[in-house]
Amino acid sequence: MEDQLTLTVNGEGEVSVMPDQAEITLGVVTEAETVSESQQVNNDIFSAVISALNEIGIEDSQIQTITYRIEPRYDFVEGVQQFRGYEVTHMINIKVEDITQAGEIVDTAVANGANVIQSIQFTVADSTDLYRQALQLALEDAKGKAMAMTETLNVTLNETPQKIIERSGGAPVRMYDGAAFSTQATPIQAGTISVRASVEAVFSYQ
């Protein structure tokens, strides 16, 4: 029995969708000569930030601390290390379903003392169905490529693949880097995000 002739193709599928939630990562970094002083300054500013966020409708359940650290800081003067003080970093993640609030959250936090705006991520809460649609498109794309190649070769394609390997990645995210933000009425546009899927398919032909 002769070995079957096969060809391997890659297929790509993509579905675009409006995001339905936003995650903003921001925080407060302070420095003072002693740990207690730096912590107190940080806590005072951070409390003001949280209070202001509460006032615009962000509940405590939507806010999660993701980083809290205390580190010594040093300067180098003429090659000699000199202790400068302690730095306290407190970073939080804020999750909202009203994505139009993203700019207001950034501006409110900055106006009340936040000095680190790390990122904004626009995502889809449940991308399962969207991913399946993209997966179907990816398989159709693979099949279309296989048909185009076998037609060119004037051979007959078995349209049912012998093997399919899913090669897709993680959940869709549209991210804005903190470096792009300003403290002036930040205009954040969510746009659309793409849910992608890719497959590798092996077809036989004769």
Side-chain angles (χ1 to χ4, degrees), residues 23 44 46 63 70 72 87 95 103 105 109 182 184 196 206:
E23 293 189 27
D44 290 345
F46 197 80
I63 303 171
I70 302 172
E87 182 180 271
K95 183 179 291 187
I105 289 169
S182 74
Q184 302 296 322
R196 297 184 178 88
Q206 57 187 25

Side-chain angles (χ1 to χ4, degrees), residues 18-23 99 121-125 171-174 193:
M18 288 293 295
D20 58 16
Q21 66 180 19
E23 293 189 27
I99 61 177
Q121 296 183 17
F122 290 103
T123 61
V124 178
V173 174
R174 183 181 184 88
I193 57 178

Side-chain angles (χ1 to χ4, degrees), residues 21 34 42 53 70 74 80 120 127 129 133 142 146 166 178 181 199:
Q21 66 180 19
T34 67
N42 192 288
L53 291 174
I70 302 172
Y74 299 90
V80 178
I120 292 182
S127 60
D129 289 340
Q133 293 177 35
E166 182 182 358
F181 304 144
V199 298

Side-chain angles (χ1 to χ4, degrees), residues 35-139:
V35 171
S36 59
E37 184 182 358
S38 188
Q39 281 183 302
Q40 187 61 58
V41 172
N42 192 288
N43 291 343
D44 290 345
I45 297 173
F46 197 80
S47 294
V49 171
I50 298 300
S51 295
L53 291 174
N54 290 158
E55 288 179 6
I56 64 171
I58 306 303
E59 299 179 359
D60 289 342
S61 60
Q62 296 172 271
I63 303 171
Q64 179 182 24
T65 292
I66 57 172
T67 301
Y68 187 88
R69 65 175 181 266
I70 302 172
E71 299 174 300
R73 287 295 180 223
Y74 299 90
D75 289 325
F76 284 88
V77 179
E78 297 180 353
V80 178
Q81 179 177 278
Q82 295 183 356
F83 177 71
R84 188 177 73 209
Y86 291 93
E87 182 180 271
V88 175
T89 300
H90 191 170
M91 300 295 294
I92 58 173
N93 180 267
I94 305 162
K95 183 179 291 187
V96 293
E97 293 182 355
D98 182 358
I99 61 177
T100 63
Q101 282 188 289
E104 183 183 14
I105 289 169
V106 169
D107 291 337
T108 298
V110 169
N112 286 275
N115 54 7
V116 178
I117 308 297
Q118 186 168 300
S119 69
I120 292 182
Q121 296 183 17
F122 290 103
T123 61
V124 178
D126 185 1
S127 60
T128 302
D129 289 340
L130 296 168
Y131 176 71
R132 287 172 179 168
Q133 293 177 35
L135 203 54
Q136 289 177 328
L137 294 174
L139 190 53

